[in-house]
Amino acid sequence: MTTFDSLAEKALRGLTPTRDELLRVLKGSDDELMELVAAASRVRHHHFGRLVKLNYLVNVKSGLCPEDCSYCSQRLGSRAGIVKYTWLDPDRTRELASHGVAAGAARVCLVASGRGPTDRDVGRLAPTVEGIKRDHPDVEVCACLGLLSEGQADRLREAGVDAYNHNLNTSEERYSDICTTHDFADRVATVRSATHAGLSPCSGLIVGMGESDEDLIDALFALRELEPDSVPVNFLMPFEGTPLEGTWELTPPRCLRILAATRFVFPDVEVRLAGGREMHLRSSQPLGLHIADSIFLGDYLTSEGQAGRDDLAMIADAGLRVRGAGEETASHEGQAPPRARRRGAGTDLPPNV
């Protein structure tokens, strides 16, 4: 029987796991969860050491999307109570990006709702990118604007964009279950277009949408064919007012198994712990960081994330450090001293249980 250590050895040799090996990871018992985390962590630390890459997201256009993606709070017909606005002006976007960079972000992700950009939209992004690059020459800029038309990826590259994100989300077989206004092939074509234009391809998953283990494996293998430079793993945030509201399929062990499977398929590729990590991994987030090597800092598109300062403290407390920063240790600055117990035994107050 395949052991997790043998899977780690295989990954360290650059070999892709088989379907049966990935099923063993995804169907594994919670009794052996820490063995799996340790094996995946070996691969992560071999290629990335103790470094964590920080990414900061700026939602430059929010809501009123004509697509019907079931998981999305911005979808056609969504009743989710999100903030909606049209394109931010370049100065405001630069200002927002600067907050993430100041906190240590190595990449700024500019995201706009919609099926895809018009040529005018691509043009309006150019001064924004120019301004961010002028202020922060070493920061990567990633665009996520939806499906790209012919020539748009080249124009984004000419404007200074470094990477393009377009997630496959799930397997081809069940894609029509979550979206009917475009198909899986459209997404593949956009990732390929970005790659051919010289943009760094970023494409990943949304898990927890009712997919089977086989669907997950199909999606991972489809992503592998696209050879992305970064693979975000998003965990469904079931917004009220969307078709997937009330969908709570994920547990922290399940999330860790999905991350481990992703790491074995992508041993030397950036694996990003992305949206929904706080609500699904919860106290197991630090374990996730020993498998993934990248996170979003702070808030997401339409939902609030963990406070950035808490993200940084979590990284330090896990014995990891932010890429580009110096050696760090967990900081106790601002930590309150212990409080004397005033309840339970010896008092008239009930215990803290």
Side-chain angles (χ1 to χ4, degrees):
M1 182 176 66
T2 300
T3 66
F4 298 138
D5 279 340
S6 67
L7 266 179
E9 291 293 338
K10 188 172 182 177
L12 290 171
R13 295 198 305 272
L15 302 176
T16 303
T18 65
R19 295 187 69 89
D20 286 344
E21 288 170 336
L22 290 176
L23 282 172
R24 162 106 168 92
V25 170
L26 294 171
K27 294 183 181 298
S29 164
D30 288 352
D31 292 338
E32 54 187 9
L33 181 64
M34 294 311 297
E35 296 174 31
L36 173 61
V37 171
S41 179
R42 279 184 59 203
V43 181
R44 177 253 196 268
H45 284 269
H46 175 82
H47 289 288
F48 300 98
R50 295 191 296 116
L51 300 180
V52 177
K53 181 178 179 180
L54 299 184
N55 306 264
Y56 187 70
L57 190 153
V58 180
N59 190 353
V60 299
K61 176 176 174 284
S62 181
L64 304 176
C65 181
E67 303 299 286
D68 69 354
C69 306
S70 299
Y71 52 83
C72 186
S73 60
Q74 305 180 86
R75 73 187 299 272
L76 179 69
S78 170
R79 293 177 285 103
I82 63 170
V83 178
K84 301 173 184 178
Y85 49 87
T86 190
W87 287 83
L88 298 178
D89 66 59
D91 288 342
R92 178 58 174 156
T93 303
R94 284 171 50 214
E95 177 190 354
L96 292 167
S98 69
H99 290 291
V101 176
R107 173 177 286 191
V108 172
C109 304
L110 307 178
V111 188
S113 65
R115 177 179 176 85
T118 64
D119 288 340
R120 181 187 176 194
D121 292 335
V122 172
R124 83 167 80 218
L125 206 63
T128 300
V129 176
E130 180 184 356
I132 293 173
K133 291 283 192 176
R134 183 174 60 249
D135 295 343
H136 312 287
D138 296 329
V139 168
E140 302 168 357
V141 174
C142 178
C144 178
L145 312 176
L147 301 172
L148 294 176
S149 301
E150 185 176 354
Q152 290 183 329
D154 294 294
R155 290 184 60 197
L156 288 169
R157 186 75 181 102
E158 292 165 3
V161 173
D162 300 293
Y164 198 82
N165 166 260
H166 200 61
N167 296 326
L168 296 189
N169 293 329
T170 192
S171 68
E172 181 174 14
E173 182 174 349
R174 75 176 306 268
Y175 196 83
S176 61
D177 294 339
I178 64 167
C179 181
T180 66
T181 47
H182 62 267
D183 59 28
F184 189 84
D186 292 326
R187 288 190 168 263
V188 169
T190 285
V191 178
R192 293 197 186 282
S193 175
T195 303
H196 292 158
L199 297 170
S200 175
C202 173
S203 189
L205 305 167
I206 301 176
V207 299
M209 299 190 292
E211 68 280 346
S212 66
D213 291 335
E214 289 75 12
D215 289 321
L216 276 169
I217 294 169
D218 286 344
L220 286 171
F221 283 165
L223 284 169
R224 181 75 177 175
E225 290 182 11
L226 294 176
E227 299 182 324
D229 293 329
S230 51
V231 179
V233 180
N234 296 277
F235 307 94
L236 176 69
M237 289 186 274
F239 272 91
E240 293 183 358
T242 66
L244 291 177
E245 68 174 292
T247 303
W248 296 95
E249 297 186 343
L250 298 171
T251 63
R254 174 68 171 169
C255 294
L256 291 171
R257 283 193 284 269
I258 291 169
L259 286 171
T262 305
R263 175 55 72 199
F264 290 139
V265 175
F266 297 98
D268 58 350
V269 170
E270 177 187 341
V271 174
R272 188 174 310 139
L273 199 53
R277 59 180 167 89
E278 299 91 343
M279 65 175 62
H280 292 293
L281 277 161
R282 300 190 287 280
S283 60
S284 294
Q285 284 189 82
L287 289 178
L289 277 177
H290 283 282
I291 301 174
D293 60 288
S294 172
I295 63 169
F296 278 114
L297 180 73
D299 294 336
Y300 304 104
L301 277 174
T302 60
S303 65
E304 294 185 356
Q306 185 168 277
R309 63 180 177 276
D310 293 336
D311 288 335
L312 297 175
M314 176 179 68
I315 291 168
D317 289 347
L320 304 169
R321 64 185 179 91
V322 173
R323 196 180 87 175
E327 286 292 326
E328 300 170 2
T329 57
S331 172
H332 302 290
E333 182 179 348
Q335 185 77 19
R339 293 185 299 173
R341 178 173 59 82
R342 303 294 183 188
R343 59 193 170 199
T347 78
D348 294 330
L349 298 176
N352 181 26
V353 292

